[in-house]
Amino acid sequence: MSQLNWRKPTFSENQANCVELAAASDGVRLRESDEPGTVIRTTPAALGVFIRAVKAGRLDHAV
């Protein structure tokens, strides 16, 4: 995983704690910058569904 090109949002460039993304040959990786050893693997399609749900507010009341 050290060979992945981890990226974080431009609005978080100066922040210590943020979500970072990396493209891999078999999908997308996500991690928190303050916990770099914990990595979640997903697909671009699943990540897109999640992002659209967040933007639409469909998860605002999820428990």
Side-chain angles (χ1 to χ4, degrees):
M1 272 185 280
S2 61
Q3 297 173 336
L4 295 174
N5 182 23
W6 291 99
R7 299 181 58 130
K8 58 182 166 180
T10 55
F11 61 84
S12 297
E13 285 297 326
N14 295 325
Q15 302 293 322
N17 301 327
C18 62
V19 175
E20 298 175 320
L21 297 168
S25 61
D26 61 344
V28 178
R29 303 289 189 274
L30 295 98
R31 69 181 183 183
E32 288 191 42
S33 59
D34 62 340
E35 292 284 339
T38 303
V39 178
I40 298 171
R41 184 179 81 188
T42 189
T43 64
L47 181 59
V49 168
F50 176 73
I51 291 171
R52 285 189 296 279
V54 169
K55 285 183 174 183
R58 292 194 301 264
L59 304 175
D60 289 352
H61 300 288
V63 182

